[in-house]
Amino acid sequence: MTSGDRLFSLMELATFLNHQLHRIAEEVAALNEDVLLSSPERDVCEELEERFRLEPLVLDRDGITAGSVKEGFATVRQFGEELRIRQTVVTILVRFEGELDLFHMRPSTYTNSPPVAATDGDALDGGLEIEWMGPVDHDPQQVRLALDSRLDEIQRWIDWSTAQVVLFNEAATLKIAAEVQARKTRLLANRNLQEALGFPMRERHDAATYSVPIKRKKIVPKRGTASSPFQPEPALADAHYEAALEVLRNQRNALERAPGTSAKMGEEEIRNLLLIGLNSHFEGQAAGEVFNNTGKTDILIRVDDRHIFIGECKIWKGPKTIADTVDQLLGYLTWRDTKAALLLFIRSGAPGDVMAKAVARFREHPNYKRDGRHSTDERHDFVFHANGDASREIKMAFLPFHLPKDPQGS
């Protein structure tokens, strides 16, 4: 594009964005079945979001640089003749971030006089070149005002473009999640149909998960048949995981509201009280033990001698408490979509300060992937990957208990 080309004029931005939304379904449909079934859904969505997300244009008006002032000529007609008038040419380079192509697309809101600038060329490299041409006896202040006016007009068009891009990014995120979930559901239904038909199938390896359902809430692992086309791994369903955490949260609140009682309780007494509360809501069958304690601090659900839910009770003794406990949990939990909870007893210090330090240490762990759904003073969720396998995710809830110890107690 040469100096003086009109911006935002080659195609309609709305047309391009609609085309991109339609492409999402095609991209999801093209994903390999085994990869989709064996990868964490959030990872698949994030990869697609990264591919489709558009970065809005942002001008760096604080980093403007000017080129050398040069001589130029303007051609005018006077009394039927063309005359060349000597002019002064001032050129500035404005860096920008975002998608270069957005400078070529007309937003839905626009005027009939798009701004003029140059956006490519070896000398521009990530910049927008704006040129001013005027009389030789120019006034520097007037030149500056003219250039600022041009920049303001470009910014107005960028704002119109950005409004559409932001809405597109939000719509793309929702569409990606819906398409991935829908296709994953269809694939699992197809695999189950293959199994129900009863015909021998070629052996394949798929890492889908299925849930350990809860009744009163009874925990019972589902079992695949010998002819199952893939081997799903036991996991605690999200609804039951949330139910267990809700029980723990309610017990935490009750303990915090009775400081005179909780202050006199030792670690094991608090843990055993939590176990009693959990087991009053959940029960198991022969296939697996429900909530019990092994060693000194574990609260767990176990299926086939594997832990699919671990709750670790720890007293805060500094940031190293978090690092050590996360390592401990990750050592236990190696099955896909396994759930965990770290119950932190804050017996001294300001709870807000302790929680801030704890959350920071969670995020510093090398297996940390992202924050989870909850992020409040009552509960903070994290997603980690299993040791040695970034595709195997472990959900970990952090529940702080503010239980100051009775200074007169034992």
Side-chain angles (χ1 to χ4, degrees):
M1 177 181 284
T2 60
S3 178
D5 284 343
R6 295 191 178 278
L7 304 177
F8 308 104
S9 300
L10 294 183
M11 68 178 296
E12 297 287 341
L13 177 58
T15 300
F16 172 76
L17 297 181
N18 286 334
H19 174 70
Q20 289 295 92
L21 284 176
H22 284 105
R23 280 190 56 225
I24 289 173
E26 298 172 3
E27 291 289 326
V28 174
L31 292 174
N32 178 275
E33 291 188 13
D34 295 324
V35 171
L36 180 57
L37 288 173
S38 62
S39 300
E41 193 170 306
R42 185 62 245 164
D43 283 2
V44 175
C45 290
E46 286 181 353
E47 183 178 339
L48 288 167
E49 289 166 15
E50 183 70 22
R51 194 183 311 170
F52 280 92
R53 177 180 173 79
L54 291 175
E55 294 298 330
L57 295 167
V58 178
L59 293 181
D60 179 15
R61 295 183 67 161
D62 293 330
I64 294 176
T65 56
S68 300
V69 177
K70 299 179 180 179
E71 286 188 329
F73 294 90
T75 302
V76 300
R77 290 190 66 83
Q78 196 173 73
F79 304 110
E81 295 184 4
E82 288 189 351
L83 300 176
R84 296 183 73 208
I85 301 176
R86 192 178 301 276
Q87 301 277 280
T88 297
V89 179
V90 177
T91 304
I92 61 173
L93 184 67
V94 189
R95 300 289 180 185
F96 66 86
E97 295 180 357
E99 307 289 341
L100 172 64
D101 288 344
L102 290 174
F103 274 122
H104 306 319
M105 302 181 194
R106 186 173 73 182
S108 297
T109 302
Y110 62 93
T111 70
N112 291 326
S113 300
V116 175
T119 61
D120 57 51
D122 293 339
L124 302 187
D125 188 27
L128 192 69
E129 188 178 76
I130 301 173
E131 182 182 277
W132 175 90
M133 181 181 291
V136 175
D137 56 344
H138 56 280
D139 178 356
Q141 186 175 2
Q142 293 301 315
V143 174
R144 179 60 186 263
L145 288 174
L147 289 170
D148 284 341
S149 178
R150 294 271 297 279
L151 285 168
D152 290 342
E153 181 64 9
I154 292 172
Q155 185 61 55
R156 185 161 67 131
W157 284 71
I158 287 176
D159 291 342
W160 291 333
S161 170
T162 298
Q164 282 181 259
V165 170
V166 169
L167 291 176
F168 164 79
N169 286 336
E170 293 173 353
T173 297
L174 294 175
K175 186 173 179 63
I176 287 168
E179 292 288 343
V180 168
Q181 186 179 65
R183 182 159 186 243
K184 197 167 186 177
T185 299
R186 291 194 301 271
L187 290 176
L188 289 172
N190 290 342
R191 298 284 174 99
N192 290 333
L193 176 59
Q194 288 176 351
E195 180 182 1
L197 291 174
F199 296 112
M201 302 297 296
R202 288 191 300 273
E203 184 176 322
R204 15 185 341 167
H205 176 74
D206 297 277
T209 62
Y210 66 94
S211 300
V212 180
I214 293 179
K215 185 175 169 265
R216 177 221 20 122
K217 302 171 180 180
K218 188 182 293 285
I219 297 178
V220 185
K222 287 186 178 179
R223 304 287 180 179
T225 65
S227 60
S228 298
F230 59 95
Q231 297 296 322
E233 296 170 340
L236 188 68
D238 281 340
H240 309 322
Y241 176 60
E242 293 298 327
L245 291 174
E246 180 67 11
V247 172
L248 290 170
R249 189 186 72 84
N250 289 336
Q251 290 182 290
R252 184 266 312 276
N253 292 346
L255 285 168
E256 290 183 343
R257 292 181 187 124
T261 300
S262 62
K264 296 180 174 64
M265 298 176 68
E267 300 168 47
E268 290 195 29
E269 290 177 289
I270 296 173
R271 183 183 68 252
N272 290 336
L273 183 64
L274 299 178
L275 289 169
I276 292 171
L278 286 166
N279 282 314
S280 69
H281 287 77
F282 299 87
E283 63 175 330
Q285 289 186 332
E289 299 177 43
V290 192
F291 296 92
N292 69 326
N293 61 306
T294 63
K296 192 166 184 180
T297 59
D298 294 344
I299 299 174
L300 64 88
I301 301 176
R302 188 167 58 198
V303 176
D304 294 336
D305 292 325
R306 297 283 184 164
H307 301 162
I308 62 171
F309 176 92
I310 286 283
E312 279 292 325
C313 302
K314 295 292 182 182
I315 290 181
W316 171 260
K317 296 179 180 178
K320 194 172 184 295
T321 302
I322 302 301
D324 291 346
T325 307
V326 171
D327 286 340
Q328 183 180 353
L329 288 168
L330 294 176
Y332 286 143
L333 304 175
T334 58
W335 285 23
R336 178 175 307 284
D337 199 28
T338 304
K339 316 292 195 302
L342 194 161
L343 316 179
L344 186 68
F345 301 156
I346 303 172
R347 312 226 71 170
S348 62
D353 293 342
V354 170
M355 290 170 58
K357 293 176 183 177
V359 168
R361 188 52 62 96
F362 273 108
R363 291 173 176 156
E364 292 170 3
H365 195 279
N367 290 38
Y368 168 83
K369 293 186 72 172
R370 59 180 177 272
D371 280 13
R373 182 172 59 180
H374 297 275
S375 179
T376 68
D377 290 342
E378 288 198 342
R379 170 182 170 186
H380 204 118
D381 291 357
F382 303 93
V383 178
F384 292 84
H385 67 75
N387 292 328
D389 189 347
S391 68
R392 291 177 175 260
E393 293 191 337
I394 292 171
K395 297 180 181 179
M396 196 174 298
F398 168 49
L399 296 179
F401 287 58
H402 183 219
L403 306 175
K405 190 172 180 61
D406 183 356
Q408 304 302 320
S410 55

